[in-house]
DNA sequence: GCCTGGCACTCGTCACATCCGAGTGCCAAC
DNA sequence: GTTGGCACTCGGATGTGACGAGTGCCAGGC
């Protein structure tokens, strides 16, 4: 096990490197942090830390920089989550309170996160799977064409066209609408399938086909996970990434365009609490030199979606984690109110 | 006026520079294009072109590069639009045909444009202003709370919450829904205001306030230009921009995040035909070293929205214009079919 | 046993000098 | 109007040496 002081040294190295972006040497360390020991001692500690794989030197006779493993230890053991200050909290709340609809909430959240962390922000739209049905509407657009509109408690609206196997009268449509809503309004998506299972039986033989078609479209809409969307922002912050620019930034931009990748990334993160994935801990190769800080958010106590930021492994973890947590909390509040 | 050969020289310079990204000199020119004259002659022509401001030298004793003015002349007079090849056309059509809904059409269009041009693609969602109303639906969510759903002929769905000044019965709601649809279904947005003007008069005094509220929300939705959305893609292509990286790319990323800027940019472009804005011709400063190629697209003969690409002024104009035009055409077809 | 000061060594960075060659402008000749 | 020749410019690549931050190791002190 590493001695207390060695951990202090690691912490100091991480902090300095994050601040200066330059490898940090033993002398500079003792000057900027009063560790109470001489550079020589620190050198010994650094050698030990390097043996253990927590730090590395880019080339001989340069200072040390933390490795992914070093950051991991830092995040797990050495760094807290830096809480937002009072003014910051108020600013967050004010900014989010101005939102007019769900799209706007998400858009504002993205901007906010990007600004607070000065990194790339990713916000997943509140997912369908965990929310409840507020209302289902059926519109007859043509004799054998119905539009299905699904409204969720998070304010999201999904619509689908349904081509019916047979013409479907207004009366039957109204009937179906009423029965459907009385059964599933307010219920969780997961429960819907069994709630509507026997619904076709309540209809005349001639309408049964259409009812089944509509229902299966509804169920499809409910489970369609890949319909999940997300919004990203703050990509301009990528320009602050590093010196060896094009190489670093390119794969990140590519990853950000692949929503599938990002969704998977957020999905892998733990359901509760904040998740920090550092460098190579990210499965997607293009993000191997970035860290992803993510957390679930939601209206009730339950998380309906996730949000987070993507930044260089050399990031201010305490600050970033604080901002992410705070934003998630306030977004949850906003969603609960609306 | 410039002689024919000088125009040839300009064309050759543009083509070479676009290909190599390096200033082009007189000798290289005569070698790669058989102009039938010696380097010395070309030098004279180049001096003339420089006097007129069509080309410039980055520093003494380097080759010439085209100026914005030079590109302008090239685009206006010297370059055609390079048509897509047969296989390319088929690929475009196949790719777009796979789309399942409007969101998907736009998403696919963005990807396609980005891939074809290897630049940043921008696609505006089909605008509300020129489309027609397919259906309006009113849902009672609470005694004094109505949800308004507007469905357009382009398949777009907009919804708004309406808080009514007084409770509003189901019967009145059905009445309003019916009257509203019979009046405005199939009509163009621009005509809606006068079509519904006298609608409140058909209702009892107690409901009139609510009807007015609903109608004004509807009208708001119709005119809400700033609700216009767009989708961008291919930002990873920015990494191919140039050598002096962070400086160039940063403002572009910022501009791309400011949807307002982009919408204005597209809006300024001419309504019919293709628009090419080169370098400083773009009002927005951050895009001063980029060119924007945009064109309207739409289902009927009429443009309902615009799409385009943003790339370095040093771009392959004929190819880019060809791709943009082709994509716009096919997207129009897809929209018309659905 | 741990900390410390000292010391020789490494190596990347910077400043400076040099060289090379692509490209130019100009001019005299065709 | 075109061409070949020629002197000139200047950016980029290459090389050299001094500088200094940083290291590892070791012997001595607490």
């Amino acid at each position: 096990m590493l001695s207390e002081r060695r951990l202090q040294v690691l912490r100091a190295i991480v902090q300095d490197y994050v601040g200066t972006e330059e490898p940090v040497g033993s002398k500079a360390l003792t000057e900027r942090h009063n560790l109470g020991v001489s550079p020589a001692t620190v050198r010994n500690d650094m050698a030990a830390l390097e043996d253990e794989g927590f730090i590395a030197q880019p080339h001989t006779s340069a200072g040390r920089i933390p490795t992914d493993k070093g950051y991991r230890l830092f995040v797990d053991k050495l760094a807290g989550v830096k809480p937002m200050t009072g003014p910051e909290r108020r600013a967050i709340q004010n900014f989010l309170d101005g939102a007019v609809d769900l799209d706007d909430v998400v858009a504002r959240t993205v901007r906010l996160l990007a600004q607070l962390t000065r990194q790339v922000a990713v916000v997943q739209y509140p997912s369908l799977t965990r929310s409840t049905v507020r209302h289902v509407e059926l519109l007859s657009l043509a004799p054998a064409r119905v539009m299905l509109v699904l409204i969720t408690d998070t304010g999201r609206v999904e619509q689908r066209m349904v081509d019916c196997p047979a013409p479907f009268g207004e009366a039957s449509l109204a009937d179906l609408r009423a029965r459907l809503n009385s059964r599933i309004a307010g219920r969780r998506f997961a429960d819907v399938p069994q709630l509507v299972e026997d619904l076709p039986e309540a209809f005349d033989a001639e309408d049964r086909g259409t009812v089944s078609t509509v229902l299966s479209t509804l169920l499809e809409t409910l489970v369609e996970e890949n319909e999940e969307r997300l919004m990203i922002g703050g990509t301009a912050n990528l320009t602050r990434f590093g010196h060896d620019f094009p190489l670093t930034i390119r794969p990140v931009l590519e990853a950000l365009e692949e929503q599938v990748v990002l969704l998977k990334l957020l999905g892998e993160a733990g359901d509760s609490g904040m998740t920090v994935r550092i460098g190579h801990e990210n499965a997607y190769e293009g993000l191997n030199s970035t860290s992803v800080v993510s957390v679930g958010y939601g209206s009730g106590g339950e998380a309906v979606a996730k949000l987070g930021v993507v930044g260089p492994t050399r990031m201010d973890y305490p600050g970033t984690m604080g901002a992410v947590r705070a934003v998630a909390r306030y977004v949850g509040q906003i969603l609960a109110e609306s």
Side-chain angles (χ1 to χ4, degrees), chain A:
Chain A
M1 193 45 208
L2 291 167
S3 77
E4 182 58 28
R5 196 189 58 228
R6 290 197 175 149
L7 293 178
Q8 297 275 9
V9 169
L10 176 58
R11 168 190 283 138
I13 291 173
V14 171
Q15 287 172 350
D16 272 24
Y17 183 60
V18 166
T20 64
E21 303 195 23
E22 269 165 24
V24 11
S26 53
K27 195 174 154 217
L29 260 198
T30 52
E31 279 167 6
R32 304 182 40 157
H33 309 259
N34 38 3
L35 297 167
V37 292
S38 79
T41 310
V42 171
R43 279 206 287 283
N44 289 331
D45 291 342
M46 286 168 114
L49 285 169
E50 185 163 8
D51 280 345
E52 307 261 4
F54 294 113
I55 56 179
Q57 6 187 8
H59 34 254
T60 335
S61 99
R64 309 302 218 287
I65 63 177
T67 60
D68 288 353
K69 189 177 169 193
Y71 285 123
R72 167 55 56 201
L73 183 61
F74 176 78
V75 168
D76 288 346
K77 298 277 160 56
L78 301 173
V81 174
K82 188 173 149 213
M84 298 275 97
T85 66
E88 278 170 330
R89 290 170 178 280
R90 275 191 292 282
I92 292 174
Q93 194 149 22
N94 283 340
F95 187 64
L96 290 181
D97 270 341
V100 301
D101 63 8
L102 182 67
D103 269 331
D104 200 23
V105 171
V106 175
R108 280 169 184 254
T109 306
V110 164
R111 289 181 87 103
L112 191 60
L113 252 188
Q115 251 172 31
L116 285 174
T117 63
R118 309 212 358 149
Q119 275 153 197
V120 179
V122 181
V123 178
Q124 186 183 4
Y125 274 73
S127 147
L128 291 181
T129 46
R130 309 206 186 158
S131 26
T132 61
V133 176
R134 182 183 278 167
H135 187 89
V136 176
E137 186 59 28
L138 301 172
L139 314 175
S140 175
L141 298 182
R145 198 144 199 229
V146 169
M147 171 170 268
L148 170 73
V149 180
L150 172 72
I151 302 160
T152 78
D153 64 335
T154 48
R156 186 158 157 186
V157 180
E158 290 289 320
Q159 94 280 0
R160 288 286 182 290
M161 283 311 207
V162 185
D163 283 314
C164 310
F168 198 54
E170 275 293 342
S172 306
L173 193 71
D175 189 17
L176 178 56
R177 181 192 298 134
R179 285 173 190 272
L180 208 47
N181 275 298
S182 73
R183 290 201 189 194
I184 69 173
R187 309 304 290 263
R188 314 183 92 252
F189 284 12
D191 304 330
V192 170
Q194 61 202 60
L195 288 170
V196 301
E197 204 175 5
D198 59 344
L199 205 52
E201 295 163 21
F203 287 80
D204 293 344
E206 55 179 325
D207 285 341
R208 229 167 263 170
T210 297
V211 170
S212 297
T213 311
V214 170
L215 289 181
S216 60
T217 306
L218 173 62
L219 297 184
E220 262 171 40
T221 309
L222 292 179
V223 299
E224 212 161 69
E225 275 283 341
N226 45 355
E227 178 68 19
E228 283 188 328
R229 288 189 304 156
L230 40 78
M231 188 173 271
I232 68 176
T235 48
N237 290 326
L238 286 176
T239 53
R240 302 185 311 111
F241 240 56
H243 334 270
D244 49 348
F245 224 65
L247 291 169
T248 331
I249 209 178
R250 169 120 217 199
V252 180
L253 276 173
E254 278 167 1
L256 292 176
E257 293 225 335
E258 286 300 330
Q259 306 221 331
V260 188
V261 170
L262 282 180
L263 285 170
K264 202 192 277 181
L265 207 70
L266 290 179
E268 281 168 2
D271 251 7
S272 62
M274 194 151 14
T275 304
V276 181
R277 301 229 162 212
I278 300 169
H280 292 80
E281 294 170 12
N282 289 301
Y284 184 75
E285 184 172 12
L287 297 177
N288 274 183
S289 56
T290 67
S291 286
V292 180
V293 177
S294 61
V295 69
Y297 72 93
S299 40
E302 215 162 356
V304 295
K306 301 208 174 118
L307 57 76
V309 304
V310 179
T313 48
R314 165 189 39 68
M315 68 162 68
D316 168 19
Y317 288 96
T320 304
M321 290 165 79
V324 168
R325 192 178 63 183
V327 169
R329 198 170 287 167
Y330 284 113
V331 175
Q333 281 182 21
I334 300 283
L335 287 181
E337 287 165 15
S338 66

